[in-house]
Amino acid sequence: MSGQPTPSTISTKQERIAKLAKQMPGTALRSLSHHIDIPWMRGAFVATRKDGAVGVDRQTAAEFEANLEENLQGLIDEAKSGLYRAPPVRRVQIPKGKGKTRPIGIPTFADKVLQRAAVMALSPVFEEDFYDFSYGFRPGRSAHNALDALWNATMSVGGGWVLDVDVRSFFDSLDRGICRDLLKQRVSDGVLVRLVGKWLNAGVLEGGVVRRPTKGTPQGGVISPLLANIYLHYVLDEWWVKKVLPCLHGRAELIRYADDFVIVFKQERDARRVQDVLAKRFAKYGLELHPDKTRLVQFTSPRGGGGDQWRRGKRPETFDFLGFTHYWGPSRKGTPIVKRKTAKDRMARAVARIAEYCRRARHEPVAEQAKMLSMKLRGYDAYYGITGNARALDRFRRMVRWQWRQWLGRRSQRARLTWDVFMKIWRRYKLPGPRVVHSIQNSAKRQRMLPV
């Protein structure tokens, strides 16, 4: 079909953008939107999830695709003429644990496609500027890369001091004016800057009422993670590299995943100096650190020989990062090593989701339930299946088994489901056992293979 995009065509354009950004550091690029044509938009459409919830217009991906060429051309024409109006995002609340919820914004499908097209043009520019210690929502990077970097940092300094930082309501507090100013330091293309401004100011539909907050960017939009990285690149990353690191006495490493970050210090005095100024730095850009959740953790390696230090109960403090609790424990040889286990709140949240599924599906065929639970267990392992987390993985299985048995037992008021009968069901369908997907050893091998 004429205009059909190919990955090589789009990637070639992105390589040109990246090359230009590299050749012109610190310069705002003025001409990017001319790359956004029908093939580019087709690529954006292909990259957009088709199974997501619908936005305020209730249009599905299938309905958009039914008249694809005309819809894509309409988006291009409206965007480049300045006539495009960003529709309000539909806000829903998702469980966060402990009875709390987190707001998620759902743009229309057409808006998702246009946002994806903009990200495809903007990302190559900022990827040239972003630092290696930033891992969130970047090509070829993941939360597990950040976890590996944190493990290596803490092990190399013997634990040290960890500044565990929590930015209060980052996506709701982001200053839109500052965000646009930071964007324009590297991109002055009128079409893209105008679009970003419209997305930042799009209203929020919740409970049938459209509200227009003066701060923040709705979570759930394709553009939001990139804007978060741009904002924190200037607020935190660049400041850290150019202003903070040269003033420190010992080794220190920053590991950031979107708005979640920790800083590992070799020396306590460096940690306390940064802790004293970090809140002021963020306040300058309209952000606030949570006073209770932001804390300095003494994470130094336990002293003493053999396993005596563990029995005496003299354990260092722990901290949570990206869904894992990081703590010191004895290796198989009894020497201190940094370990990770599923954080309690993440475990509780996952179990609650399993319980809700079992409740809703209790009258479905047992084979179908087993198939779905197997998928959920494999998905859980895909994130939490890391070296040293076997106990937590096994505990999660036990809790899944308990929830499944509880809700299967409510299928009938007459026949009681005993544990013996249920265990026959459990063994018959052979739900997958715990599996380590992310190995520290494999990660270390990959790092040794990287070019210096």
Side-chain angles (χ1 to χ4, degrees):
M1 180 182 293
S2 177
Q4 182 70 29
T6 63
S8 60
T9 302
I10 295 174
S11 63
T12 298
K13 289 183 176 182
Q14 291 179 315
E15 287 170 6
R16 291 175 187 165
I17 295 173
K19 183 178 180 180
L20 186 62
K22 188 173 184 178
Q23 292 172 344
M24 303 174 66
T27 302
L29 304 185
R30 294 177 294 184
S31 181
L32 294 177
S33 59
H34 71 276
H35 292 293
I36 302 178
D37 52 17
I38 285 293
W40 186 278
M41 292 296 292
R42 277 185 165 274
F45 169 77
V46 170
T48 302
R49 281 187 57 184
K50 312 299 188 295
D51 59 348
V54 296
V56 294
D57 63 354
R58 299 293 171 178
Q59 184 184 46
T60 65
E63 291 169 344
F64 184 89
E65 188 176 13
N67 199 13
L68 184 60
E69 292 291 325
E70 184 176 337
N71 286 332
L72 295 180
Q73 188 62 58
L75 286 174
I76 294 174
D77 293 343
E78 290 184 0
K80 293 190 176 182
S81 66
L83 297 177
Y84 184 77
R85 298 182 64 182
V89 298
R90 185 168 67 88
R91 174 168 285 181
V92 297
Q93 302 288 337
I94 63 172
K96 191 178 179 180
K98 297 182 180 178
K100 297 181 179 180
T101 60
R102 180 164 61 96
I104 290 292
I106 304 173
T108 65
F109 185 80
D111 203 44
K112 291 178 184 178
V113 174
L114 188 56
Q115 286 190 33
R116 176 62 64 188
V119 168
M120 288 162 54
L122 293 171
S123 183
V125 177
F126 289 98
E127 279 298 317
E128 293 299 318
D129 296 346
F130 290 160
Y131 291 98
D132 287 341
F133 52 76
S134 168
Y135 294 92
F137 307 105
R138 295 181 58 191
R141 290 167 173 261
S142 69
H144 290 97
N145 296 140
L147 290 166
D148 289 341
L150 177 57
W151 188 86
N152 289 323
T154 50
M155 286 295 295
S156 63
V157 300
W161 293 75
V162 176
L163 186 56
D164 181 13
V165 183
D166 184 276
V167 183
R168 174 176 277 173
S169 302
F170 171 76
F171 284 94
D172 292 330
S173 304
L174 180 145
D175 187 296
R176 296 171 181 174
I178 293 176
C179 185
R180 286 193 296 269
D181 291 342
L182 296 177
L183 172 71
K184 287 191 285 188
Q185 289 190 30
R186 281 300 262 149
V187 175
S188 59
D189 183 286
V191 171
L192 291 171
V193 171
R194 187 166 56 239
L195 281 174
V196 169
K198 291 181 178 182
W199 286 320
L200 286 172
N201 291 305
V204 175
L205 175 66
E206 187 173 17
V209 178
V210 175
R211 296 187 300 103
R212 300 191 181 277
T214 58
K215 297 190 299 181
T217 175
Q219 294 189 58
V222 179
I223 196 74
S224 293
L226 177 60
L227 294 180
N229 274 334
I230 293 171
Y231 204 90
L232 290 173
H233 168 76
Y234 291 105
V235 174
L236 176 64
D237 301 353
E238 197 167 68
W239 171 73
W240 168 258
V241 171
K242 295 182 178 180
K243 301 293 184 181
V244 178
L245 276 179
C247 299
L248 301 182
H249 295 86
R251 179 177 174 179
E253 291 192 38
L254 168 66
I255 298 98
R256 181 173 71 80
Y257 189 90
D259 60 321
D260 292 331
F261 68 95
V262 293
I263 311 177
V264 180
F265 298 89
K266 176 69 175 178
Q267 296 189 16
E268 179 184 0
R269 60 174 175 171
D270 286 338
R272 296 199 179 279
R273 287 177 65 196
V274 173
Q275 184 183 27
D276 289 342
V277 300
L278 192 62
K280 298 176 184 177
R281 173 68 182 181
F282 273 66
K284 182 178 177 181
Y285 291 87
L287 300 174
E288 180 184 0
L289 302 186
H290 198 293
D292 298 324
K293 296 181 180 179
T294 299
R295 63 197 185 102
L296 184 60
V297 177
Q298 185 176 1
F299 198 64
T300 49
S301 174
R303 305 302 178 188
D308 289 343
Q309 66 269 36
W310 317 112
R311 289 190 290 273
R312 290 197 299 268
K314 296 181 179 179
R315 292 178 179 270
E317 295 180 79
T318 66
F319 64 95
D320 290 352
F321 184 61
L322 296 181
F324 291 91
T325 297
H326 301 254
Y327 66 102
W328 281 96
S331 68
R332 292 181 179 179
K333 297 181 180 179
T335 57
I337 188 173
V338 176
K339 295 186 174 184
R340 290 86 57 88
K341 62 183 178 181
T342 309
K344 289 182 179 179
D345 62 333
R346 295 297 185 93
M347 175 78 79
R349 202 182 306 172
V351 172
R353 287 196 294 265
I354 291 291
E356 176 60 20
Y357 166 75
C358 291
R359 182 190 69 81
R360 288 187 288 103
R362 64 186 183 276
H363 295 299
E364 294 181 6
V366 174
E368 289 299 317
Q369 293 185 46
K371 181 180 179 181
M372 182 58 69
L373 288 173
S374 295
M375 291 175 58
K376 291 180 180 295
L377 287 171
R378 282 190 287 268
Y380 187 85
D381 287 352
Y383 187 80
Y384 292 103
I386 66 173
T387 300
N389 198 32
R391 285 187 179 180
L393 296 179
D394 187 62
R395 181 168 178 261
F396 182 66
R397 257 74 180 175
R398 293 197 304 270
M399 298 178 81
V400 168
R401 185 170 59 192
W402 189 87
Q403 290 290 345
W404 195 24
R405 187 255 175 183
Q406 284 289 102
W407 287 105
L408 281 180
R410 300 186 186 186
R411 285 160 65 99
S412 172
Q413 297 292 336
R414 300 177 182 177
R416 181 172 174 268
L417 181 66
T418 65
W419 269 106
D420 288 340
V421 173
F422 172 74
M423 288 309 296
K424 290 179 181 178
I425 296 174
W426 181 266
R427 286 189 291 268
R428 176 184 176 185
Y429 290 103
K430 297 179 181 178
L431 270 64
R435 186 166 68 99
V436 173
V437 178
H438 306 278
S439 166
I440 289 177
Q441 289 77 12
N442 291 340
S443 173
K445 290 178 182 177
R446 287 194 299 270
Q447 288 192 359
R448 285 197 296 270
M449 293 171 63
L450 291 174
V452 178

mmCIF file of all heavy atoms in Angstrom, residues 276-306:
data_model
loop_
_atom_site.group_PDB
_atom_site.id
_atom_site.type_symbol
_atom_site.label_atom_id
_atom_site.label_comp_id
_atom_site.label_asym_id
_atom_site.label_seq_id
_atom_site.Cartn_x
_atom_site.Cartn_y
_atom_site.Cartn_z
ATOM 1 N N ASP A 276 20.392 18.324 52.520
ATOM 2 C CA ASP A 276 20.057 19.678 52.969
ATOM 3 C C ASP A 276 19.640 20.595 51.815
ATOM 4 O O ASP A 276 18.824 21.501 52.005
ATOM 5 C CB ASP A 276 21.255 20.299 53.700
ATOM 6 C CG ASP A 276 21.493 19.662 55.066
ATOM 7 O OD1 ASP A 276 20.554 19.013 55.577
ATOM 8 O OD2 ASP A 276 22.614 19.785 55.599
ATOM 9 N N VAL A 277 20.196 20.377 50.628
ATOM 10 C CA VAL A 277 19.925 21.310 49.519
ATOM 11 C C VAL A 277 18.909 20.766 48.514
ATOM 12 O O VAL A 277 18.370 21.537 47.713
ATOM 13 C CB VAL A 277 21.232 21.677 48.773
ATOM 14 C CG1 VAL A 277 22.202 22.342 49.718
ATOM 15 C CG2 VAL A 277 21.858 20.455 48.113
ATOM 16 N N LEU A 278 18.638 19.460 48.559
ATOM 17 C CA LEU A 278 17.789 18.857 47.532
ATOM 18 C C LEU A 278 16.375 19.434 47.544
ATOM 19 O O LEU A 278 15.803 19.730 46.489
ATOM 20 C CB LEU A 278 17.748 17.336 47.713
ATOM 21 C CG LEU A 278 17.130 16.538 46.563
ATOM 22 C CD1 LEU A 278 17.937 16.726 45.288
ATOM 23 C CD2 LEU A 278 17.061 15.050 46.926
ATOM 24 N N ALA A 279 15.797 19.594 48.731
ATOM 25 C CA ALA A 279 14.438 20.124 48.824
ATOM 26 C C ALA A 279 14.364 21.546 48.262
ATOM 27 O O ALA A 279 13.383 21.917 47.594
ATOM 28 C CB ALA A 279 13.956 20.093 50.272
ATOM 29 N N LYS A 280 15.396 22.345 48.505
ATOM 30 C CA LYS A 280 15.414 23.718 47.987
ATOM 31 C C LYS A 280 15.500 23.714 46.465
ATOM 32 O O LYS A 280 14.866 24.531 45.794
ATOM 33 C CB LYS A 280 16.597 24.485 48.587
ATOM 34 C CG LYS A 280 16.542 24.627 50.101
ATOM 35 C CD LYS A 280 17.792 25.300 50.633
ATOM 36 C CE LYS A 280 17.780 25.367 52.159
ATOM 37 N NZ LYS A 280 19.043 25.955 52.690
ATOM 38 N N ARG A 281 16.304 22.798 45.936
ATOM 39 C CA ARG A 281 16.435 22.705 44.482
ATOM 40 C C ARG A 281 15.087 22.361 43.839
ATOM 41 O O ARG A 281 14.687 22.970 42.842
ATOM 42 C CB ARG A 281 17.473 21.630 44.131
ATOM 43 C CG ARG A 281 17.587 21.298 42.656
ATOM 44 C CD ARG A 281 18.161 22.450 41.869
ATOM 45 N NE ARG A 281 18.227 22.144 40.438
ATOM 46 C CZ ARG A 281 18.701 22.961 39.516
ATOM 47 N NH1 ARG A 281 19.154 24.156 39.873
ATOM 48 N NH2 ARG A 281 18.742 22.605 38.250
ATOM 49 N N PHE A 282 14.383 21.410 44.400
ATOM 50 C CA PHE A 282 13.094 21.011 43.836
ATOM 51 C C PHE A 282 12.040 22.100 44.019
ATOM 52 O O PHE A 282 11.194 22.308 43.143
ATOM 53 C CB PHE A 282 12.635 19.695 44.459
ATOM 54 C CG PHE A 282 13.172 18.482 43.756
ATOM 55 C CD1 PHE A 282 14.524 18.183 43.760
ATOM 56 C CD2 PHE A 282 12.329 17.639 43.050
ATOM 57 C CE1 PHE A 282 15.025 17.089 43.099
ATOM 58 C CE2 PHE A 282 12.815 16.534 42.373
ATOM 59 C CZ PHE A 282 14.169 16.250 42.397
ATOM 60 N N ALA A 283 12.077 22.794 45.152
ATOM 61 C CA ALA A 283 11.113 23.869 45.395
ATOM 62 C C ALA A 283 11.263 24.992 44.369
ATOM 63 O O ALA A 283 10.284 25.647 43.987
ATOM 64 C CB ALA A 283 11.298 24.421 46.800
ATOM 65 N N LYS A 284 12.469 25.195 43.892
ATOM 66 C CA LYS A 284 12.736 26.218 42.880
ATOM 67 C C LYS A 284 11.955 25.946 41.599
ATOM 68 O O LYS A 284 11.625 26.874 40.852
ATOM 69 C CB LYS A 284 14.240 26.252 42.585
ATOM 70 C CG LYS A 284 14.683 27.296 41.599
ATOM 71 C CD LYS A 284 16.192 27.261 41.418
ATOM 72 C CE LYS A 284 16.644 28.274 40.362
ATOM 73 N NZ LYS A 284 18.124 28.228 40.178
ATOM 74 N N TYR A 285 11.623 24.674 41.369
ATOM 75 C CA TYR A 285 10.895 24.285 40.161
ATOM 76 C C TYR A 285 9.473 23.820 40.470
ATOM 77 O O TYR A 285 8.873 23.077 39.705
ATOM 78 C CB TYR A 285 11.665 23.197 39.414
ATOM 79 C CG TYR A 285 12.954 23.702 38.808
ATOM 80 C CD1 TYR A 285 14.132 23.719 39.550
ATOM 81 C CD2 TYR A 285 12.976 24.191 37.514
ATOM 82 C CE1 TYR A 285 15.311 24.199 38.995
ATOM 83 C CE2 TYR A 285 14.142 24.665 36.940
ATOM 84 C CZ TYR A 285 15.305 24.674 37.689
ATOM 85 O OH TYR A 285 16.476 25.157 37.141
ATOM 86 N N GLY A 286 8.963 24.262 41.607
ATOM 87 C CA GLY A 286 7.569 23.995 41.937
ATOM 88 C C GLY A 286 7.289 22.603 42.452
ATOM 89 O O GLY A 286 6.127 22.176 42.482
ATOM 90 N N LEU A 287 8.314 21.885 42.876
ATOM 91 C CA LEU A 287 8.143 20.516 43.355
ATOM 92 C C LEU A 287 8.450 20.425 44.843
ATOM 93 O O LEU A 287 9.233 21.219 45.379
ATOM 94 C CB LEU A 287 9.054 19.553 42.582
ATOM 95 C CG LEU A 287 8.834 19.488 41.070
ATOM 96 C CD1 LEU A 287 9.889 18.622 40.418
ATOM 97 C CD2 LEU A 287 7.433 18.973 40.743
ATOM 98 N N GLU A 288 7.859 19.436 45.486
ATOM 99 C CA GLU A 288 8.039 19.255 46.928
ATOM 100 C C GLU A 288 8.423 17.817 47.236
ATOM 101 O O GLU A 288 7.847 16.882 46.674
ATOM 102 C CB GLU A 288 6.737 19.604 47.663
ATOM 103 C CG GLU A 288 6.828 19.458 49.174
ATOM 104 C CD GLU A 288 5.491 19.705 49.855
ATOM 105 O OE1 GLU A 288 4.494 19.985 49.147
ATOM 106 O OE2 GLU A 288 5.437 19.601 51.105
ATOM 107 N N LEU A 289 9.409 17.652 48.104
ATOM 108 C CA LEU A 289 9.780 16.321 48.562
ATOM 109 C C LEU A 289 8.907 15.958 49.756
ATOM 110 O O LEU A 289 8.667 16.787 50.634
ATOM 111 C CB LEU A 289 11.262 16.272 48.964
ATOM 112 C CG LEU A 289 12.282 16.664 47.895
ATOM 113 C CD1 LEU A 289 13.697 16.414 48.402
ATOM 114 C CD2 LEU A 289 12.040 15.896 46.604
ATOM 115 N N HIS A 290 8.439 14.717 49.772
ATOM 116 C CA HIS A 290 7.600 14.266 50.883
ATOM 117 C C HIS A 290 8.449 14.224 52.154
ATOM 118 O O HIS A 290 9.453 13.515 52.220
ATOM 119 C CB HIS A 290 7.033 12.881 50.588
ATOM 120 C CG HIS A 290 5.852 12.529 51.435
ATOM 121 N ND1 HIS A 290 5.955 12.328 52.802
ATOM 122 C CD2 HIS A 290 4.540 12.338 51.131
ATOM 123 C CE1 HIS A 290 4.764 12.036 53.285
ATOM 124 N NE2 HIS A 290 3.898 12.041 52.303
ATOM 125 N N PRO A 291 8.080 14.994 53.197
ATOM 126 C CA PRO A 291 8.933 15.095 54.387
ATOM 127 C C PRO A 291 9.060 13.795 55.166
ATOM 128 O O PRO A 291 10.074 13.582 55.847
ATOM 129 C CB PRO A 291 8.233 16.177 55.231
ATOM 130 C CG PRO A 291 6.807 16.163 54.762
ATOM 131 C CD PRO A 291 6.852 15.792 53.311
ATOM 132 N N ASP A 292 8.060 12.936 55.099
ATOM 133 C CA ASP A 292 8.113 11.688 55.862
ATOM 134 C C ASP A 292 8.720 10.539 55.056
ATOM 135 O O ASP A 292 9.403 9.678 55.609
ATOM 136 C CB ASP A 292 6.705 11.290 56.324
ATOM 137 C CG ASP A 292 6.096 12.340 57.241
ATOM 138 O OD1 ASP A 292 6.854 12.936 58.037
ATOM 139 O OD2 ASP A 292 4.877 12.574 57.147
ATOM 140 N N LYS A 293 8.467 10.524 53.751
ATOM 141 C CA LYS A 293 8.939 9.416 52.925
ATOM 142 C C LYS A 293 10.351 9.620 52.380
ATOM 143 O O LYS A 293 10.982 8.666 51.940
ATOM 144 C CB LYS A 293 7.966 9.187 51.763
ATOM 145 C CG LYS A 293 6.581 8.749 52.215
ATOM 146 C CD LYS A 293 5.665 8.520 51.032
ATOM 147 C CE LYS A 293 4.276 8.084 51.472
ATOM 148 N NZ LYS A 293 3.357 7.873 50.321
ATOM 149 N N THR A 294 10.829 10.861 52.378
ATOM 150 C CA THR A 294 12.204 11.129 51.977
ATOM 151 C C THR A 294 13.097 10.993 53.200
ATOM 152 O O THR A 294 12.909 11.692 54.196
ATOM 153 C CB THR A 294 12.343 12.540 51.378
ATOM 154 O OG1 THR A 294 11.513 12.634 50.220
ATOM 155 C CG2 THR A 294 13.774 12.829 51.001
ATOM 156 N N ARG A 295 14.049 10.081 53.133
ATOM 157 C CA ARG A 295 14.857 9.811 54.326
ATOM 158 C C ARG A 295 16.259 9.367 53.938
ATOM 159 O O ARG A 295 16.488 8.836 52.842
ATOM 160 C CB ARG A 295 14.197 8.746 55.191
ATOM 161 C CG ARG A 295 14.068 7.413 54.520
ATOM 162 C CD ARG A 295 13.070 6.496 55.212
ATOM 163 N NE ARG A 295 13.064 5.170 54.592
ATOM 164 C CZ ARG A 295 13.654 4.096 55.091
ATOM 165 N NH1 ARG A 295 14.285 4.184 56.256
ATOM 166 N NH2 ARG A 295 13.615 2.939 54.462
ATOM 167 N N LEU A 296 17.186 9.601 54.861
ATOM 168 C CA LEU A 296 18.565 9.158 54.690
ATOM 169 C C LEU A 296 18.747 7.853 55.442
ATOM 170 O O LEU A 296 18.496 7.776 56.650
ATOM 171 C CB LEU A 296 19.538 10.217 55.206
ATOM 172 C CG LEU A 296 21.018 9.916 55.009
ATOM 173 C CD1 LEU A 296 21.351 9.752 53.533
ATOM 174 C CD2 LEU A 296 21.870 11.026 55.627
ATOM 175 N N VAL A 297 19.161 6.824 54.731
ATOM 176 C CA VAL A 297 19.261 5.479 55.299
ATOM 177 C C VAL A 297 20.728 5.091 55.462
ATOM 178 O O VAL A 297 21.497 5.176 54.497
ATOM 179 C CB VAL A 297 18.555 4.453 54.381
ATOM 180 C CG1 VAL A 297 18.716 3.039 54.930
ATOM 181 C CG2 VAL A 297 17.091 4.816 54.210
ATOM 182 N N GLN A 298 21.094 4.692 56.666
ATOM 183 C CA GLN A 298 22.441 4.142 56.874
ATOM 184 C C GLN A 298 22.417 2.688 56.404
ATOM 185 O O GLN A 298 21.877 1.815 57.077
ATOM 186 C CB GLN A 298 22.855 4.223 58.340
ATOM 187 C CG GLN A 298 24.286 3.762 58.568
ATOM 188 C CD GLN A 298 24.738 3.919 60.016
ATOM 189 O OE1 GLN A 298 23.969 4.365 60.865
ATOM 190 N NE2 GLN A 298 25.981 3.546 60.288
ATOM 191 N N PHE A 299 23.018 2.462 55.268
ATOM 192 C CA PHE A 299 22.937 1.153 54.630
ATOM 193 C C PHE A 299 24.296 0.464 54.585
ATOM 194 O O PHE A 299 24.544 -0.413 53.767
ATOM 195 C CB PHE A 299 22.377 1.327 53.211
ATOM 196 C CG PHE A 299 21.841 0.059 52.598
ATOM 197 C CD1 PHE A 299 20.753 -0.593 53.154
ATOM 198 C CD2 PHE A 299 22.430 -0.472 51.459
ATOM 199 C CE1 PHE A 299 20.266 -1.769 52.590
ATOM 200 C CE2 PHE A 299 21.940 -1.634 50.879
ATOM 201 C CZ PHE A 299 20.864 -2.285 51.442
ATOM 202 N N THR A 300 25.181 0.866 55.468
ATOM 203 C CA THR A 300 26.532 0.312 55.469
ATOM 204 C C THR A 300 26.517 -1.181 55.772
ATOM 205 O O THR A 300 25.674 -1.675 56.518
ATOM 206 C CB THR A 300 27.410 1.033 56.505
ATOM 207 O OG1 THR A 300 26.703 1.087 57.760
ATOM 208 C CG2 THR A 300 27.728 2.435 56.055
ATOM 209 N N SER A 301 27.459 -1.884 55.183
ATOM 210 C CA SER A 301 27.548 -3.335 55.333
ATOM 211 C C SER A 301 27.773 -3.723 56.784
ATOM 212 O O SER A 301 28.549 -3.076 57.492
ATOM 213 C CB SER A 301 28.698 -3.869 54.478
ATOM 214 O OG SER A 301 28.900 -5.243 54.705
ATOM 215 N N PRO A 302 27.098 -4.774 57.263
ATOM 216 C CA PRO A 302 27.311 -5.247 58.636
ATOM 217 C C PRO A 302 28.755 -5.680 58.839
ATOM 218 O O PRO A 302 29.380 -6.250 57.946
ATOM 219 C CB PRO A 302 26.359 -6.448 58.753
ATOM 220 C CG PRO A 302 25.388 -6.293 57.650
ATOM 221 C CD PRO A 302 26.096 -5.589 56.549
ATOM 222 N N ARG A 303 29.266 -5.413 60.016
ATOM 223 C CA ARG A 303 30.643 -5.810 60.350
ATOM 224 C C ARG A 303 30.621 -7.122 61.113
ATOM 225 O O ARG A 303 29.612 -7.538 61.657
ATOM 226 C CB ARG A 303 31.328 -4.730 61.183
ATOM 227 C CG ARG A 303 31.305 -3.366 60.521
ATOM 228 C CD ARG A 303 31.971 -3.389 59.165
ATOM 229 N NE ARG A 303 31.923 -2.096 58.497
ATOM 230 C CZ ARG A 303 32.296 -1.908 57.253
ATOM 231 N NH1 ARG A 303 32.735 -2.933 56.534
ATOM 232 N NH2 ARG A 303 32.210 -0.711 56.707
ATOM 233 N N GLY A 304 31.781 -7.732 61.207
ATOM 234 C CA GLY A 304 31.867 -8.987 61.969
ATOM 235 C C GLY A 304 32.058 -10.162 61.051
ATOM 236 O O GLY A 304 31.773 -10.099 59.857
ATOM 237 N N GLY A 305 32.511 -11.260 61.574
ATOM 238 C CA GLY A 305 32.798 -12.432 60.759
ATOM 239 C C GLY A 305 31.656 -13.419 60.749
ATOM 240 O O GLY A 305 30.794 -13.443 61.608
ATOM 241 N N GLY A 306 31.679 -14.270 59.705
ATOM 242 C CA GLY A 306 30.701 -15.350 59.610
ATOM 243 C C GLY A 306 29.283 -14.840 59.619
ATOM 244 O O GLY A 306 28.968 -13.789 59.106
#
